[in-house]
């Protein structure tokens, strides 16, 4: 049911909000570098990264439920190390993120036809962005789940943090032209980097700035994963 909801909501948003907001733009499209992209296509590409982020909440939920129900203790009694448990959770969200992204890509294909420019290099950028994004957001939920003792607190904080990630990013609208402080907040948000790299790969608009974003999100993800690993290794059973 979770995976179905993860697919249904973005599809509804792409086709209802995408074409509704496109009418407000007067059919002019959204700028992407020196290109103009129809808003439904722009939004469909953004929803791929957005959906990957939402799927990553599974990592924190798995750890929270395993800790609450005693499953974590049982796993550690068996010949499994905590590091293997962490990697298992990360692999789970990577697979879920890629699966949901692939389904959103297929569902949003009608909006992308004529705008997307599929290439091998671009596809590699898209896959890398989704994988690194799944690791980052999965690490964030792991850190939160190891710090909190109540499911209510976990849900409130995760939803609040991810609300910021969702709307203070370029997932739904471009960062160009927004007020200075808001633009700075956009680029303090890792989702912006992931969505920008995904769009660059889909529309074959890979630039030097794309590679800078790639380096930044890779470094940030490495730090988040290290913190998540330390938090889980130190978590009291």
């Amino acid at each position: 049911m979770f995976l179905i909801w993860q697919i249904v909501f973005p599809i509804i948003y792409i086709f209802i909000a995408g074409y509704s907001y496109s009418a407000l733009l007067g059919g002019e499209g959204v700028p992407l570098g020196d290109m103009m992209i129809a808003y439904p296509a722009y939004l469909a590409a953004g929803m791929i990264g957005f959906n990957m982020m939402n799927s990553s909440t599974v990592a924190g939920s798995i750890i929270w439920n395993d800790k609450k129900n005693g499953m974590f203790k049982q796993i550690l009694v068996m010949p499994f190390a905590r590091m293997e448990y962490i990697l298992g959770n990360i692999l789970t969200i990577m697979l879920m993120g890629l699966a949901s992204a692939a389904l959103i890509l297929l569902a949003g294909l009608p909006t992308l036809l004529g705008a997307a420019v599929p290439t091998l290099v671009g596809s590699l950028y898209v896959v890398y962005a989704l994988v690194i994004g799944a690791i980052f957001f999965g690490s964030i939920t792991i850190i939160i789940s190891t710090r909190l003792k109540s499911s209510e607190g976990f849900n409130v904080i995760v939803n609040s943090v991810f609300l910021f990630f969702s709307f203070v990013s370029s997932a739904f609208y471009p960062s160009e032209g927004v007020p200075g402080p808001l633009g700075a907040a956009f680029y303090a948000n890792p989702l912006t980097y992931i969505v920008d790299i995904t769009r660059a790969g889909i529309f074959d608009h890979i630039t030097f700035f794309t590679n800078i974003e790639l380096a930044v999100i890779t470094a940030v993800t490495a730090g988040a994963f290290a913190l998540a690993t330390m938090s889980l290794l130190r978590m009291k059973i």
Side-chain angles (χ1 to χ4, degrees), residues 62-101:
I62 289 173
I63 292 173
W64 172 258
N65 288 322
D66 285 351
K67 186 172 63 171
K68 178 183 177 182
N69 299 326
M71 182 61 70
F72 187 59
K73 288 183 182 179
Q74 295 181 42
I75 290 172
L76 294 182
V77 169
M78 295 184 283
F80 298 108
R82 292 195 183 203
M83 193 64 194
E84 292 174 303
Y85 179 77
I86 297 168
L87 294 176
N89 275 283
I90 293 296
L91 181 60
T92 298
I93 61 169
M94 283 170 55
L95 293 174
M96 288 191 67
L98 289 173
S100 62

Side-chain angles (χ1 to χ4, degrees), residues 23-200:
L24 294 176
L25 295 172
E28 293 182 2
V30 180
L32 181 65
D34 56 355
M35 304 167 62
M36 293 297 289
I37 307 294
Y39 183 69
Y42 182 90
L43 181 60
M47 289 302 290
I48 293 172
F50 172 80
N51 211 46
M52 172 278 304
M53 180 190 72
N54 283 340
S55 298
S56 69
T57 59
V58 173
S61 300
I62 289 173
I63 292 173
W64 172 258
N65 288 322
D66 285 351
K67 186 172 63 171
K68 178 183 177 182
N69 299 326
M71 182 61 70
F72 187 59
K73 288 183 182 179
Q74 295 181 42
I75 290 172
L76 294 182
V77 169
M78 295 184 283
F80 298 108
R82 292 195 183 203
M83 193 64 194
E84 292 174 303
Y85 179 77
I86 297 168
L87 294 176
N89 275 283
I90 293 296
L91 181 60
T92 298
I93 61 169
M94 283 170 55
L95 293 174
M96 288 191 67
L98 289 173
S100 62
L103 292 171
I104 295 301
L105 183 62
L106 289 174
L109 202 57
T111 67
L112 294 170
L113 289 175
V117 183
T119 64
L120 176 59
V121 174
S123 299
L124 293 175
Y125 271 77
V126 171
V127 171
Y128 183 81
L130 295 175
V131 168
I132 207 76
I135 295 172
F136 173 81
F137 290 111
S139 297
I140 293 297
T141 58
I142 288 172
I143 293 168
I144 295 172
S145 68
T146 58
R147 300 291 179 179
L148 299 178
K149 297 182 179 180
S150 69
S151 59
E152 293 82 4
F154 172 75
N155 290 325
V156 166
I157 291 181
V158 166
N159 289 334
S160 300
V161 170
F162 277 51
L163 189 67
F164 167 80
F165 283 144
S166 300
F167 293 103
V168 188
S169 75
S170 58
F172 301 101
Y173 23 71
S175 57
E176 293 85 355
V178 299
L182 184 58
F186 270 39
Y187 284 98
N189 183 352
L191 183 61
T192 293
Y193 296 85
I194 293 160
V195 169
D196 285 354
I197 296 166
T198 302
R199 281 203 184 98

